Amino acid sequence: MKHPMRNPWIYTLFIAPTLLLYGLFFLWPMLSSSFYAFTDWNGLESYRFVGWSNFADAFGDPDFRRAIINNLIFIGFSVFVQIPLIVLFALLIASVKRLRGFYKTTVFVPSIVSTSVIGILWGFIYEPEVGPLNRLLALFGAGPIYWLAESKWALPAVLITNAWQWMGFYIVLVLAAILAIPREIHEAAVVDGASGWQRALNITVPLILPIISVVVMLSIAGGMRVVDIVLVMTKGGPVGATEVMASYMVNEAMGVDPNYGFGTAIALIIFAFALVLTSIYQFTFGRRMQGGEF
């Protein structure tokens, strides 16, 4: 049988369709967006080249700066609140002997449900008059809280909803890594007298650091691209309290007075932010965690 490297046309034949699709649906949209980001095109009429003014207008807008802060809050909440809870729940599920499959399925279900359904469901939970959350608080004498209508409560409410939707997906990833650890390691630790939490902190967590690193990367990327839950629940309100960069982009590019050029400039800014943040993490903590160090 001939060595395939002797006929490079075979490789060309196989990768050509993939390269064509990649160029058509990724490279071309990226290049065209990069061009329109420097114009005032509204998506319908002729455009005018405006240079860097779209980017300057974006960073000069206090609403956009607030949206950047909200994205960073999403990332911080995901990394410093969600991930410890994800690891904790994964350890708890891994420790049970019965109904483990039921628990795995239960926590995973929200991540496969449409975000629109999740937003409507939690919108009812947060409903100030008949919502179950306020009714529960009323038992303790608390008055009605307008969770999605008050600036101080809207963002935490959306953060909790977003976390509830996606934590199950990450729990299953971490749980798979925990269950892949050889049983002999834990059995040896039991013989040495290690308790359950000692085994979890000193054996399990260090061994699953590579998958935790992947979860952190996904959380950073998810915090930068979050938009659907915001649009469904609050549309960025009240008064921009829950506005994120992606929802700001949608509202500007497809709002009452659409400016597609300005929207594509925002899209490039989001891409740049995500690239920088993930690169910083990868070159600082990511490599060490993937190597099993901390």
Side-chain angles (χ1 to χ4, degrees), residues 2 8 10 12 44 57 98 111 116 122 127 131 134 175 186 188 213 215 217 234 253 260 264 286 291:
K2 292 185 177 180
I10 295 178
T12 305
L44 297 173
D57 292 343
R98 301 179 61 184
S111 63
S116 300
W122 278 83
E127 211 283 327
N134 273 355
L175 182 61
H186 288 286
S213 176
V215 172
M217 287 279 291
T234 63
Y260 187 81
T264 53

Side-chain angles (χ1 to χ4, degrees), residues 225-290:
R225 62 180 174 81
V226 61
V227 61
D228 42 6
I229 194 68
V230 173
L231 293 176
V232 171
M233 296 189 71
T234 63
K235 295 181 175 62
V239 199
T242 60
E243 191 85 89
V244 292
M245 286 190 283
S247 64
Y248 180 91
M249 174 192 69
V250 171
N251 292 331
E252 291 293 329
M254 304 177 183
V256 178
D257 185 19
N259 188 337
Y260 187 81
F262 185 70
T264 53
I266 302 299
L268 291 182
I269 293 173
I270 296 173
F271 176 77
F273 265 100
L275 184 63
V276 169
L277 290 176
T278 53
S279 299
I280 290 174
Y281 169 75
Q282 186 64 23
F283 287 109
T284 53
F285 300 101
R287 288 184 175 181
R288 293 173 56 192
M289 292 180 69
Q290 289 177 2

Side-chain angles (χ1 to χ4, degrees), residues 17-30:
T18 302
L19 291 177
L20 178 62
L21 293 174
Y22 181 77
L24 183 63
F25 293 105
F26 183 80
L27 292 180
W28 173 248
M30 282 288 295

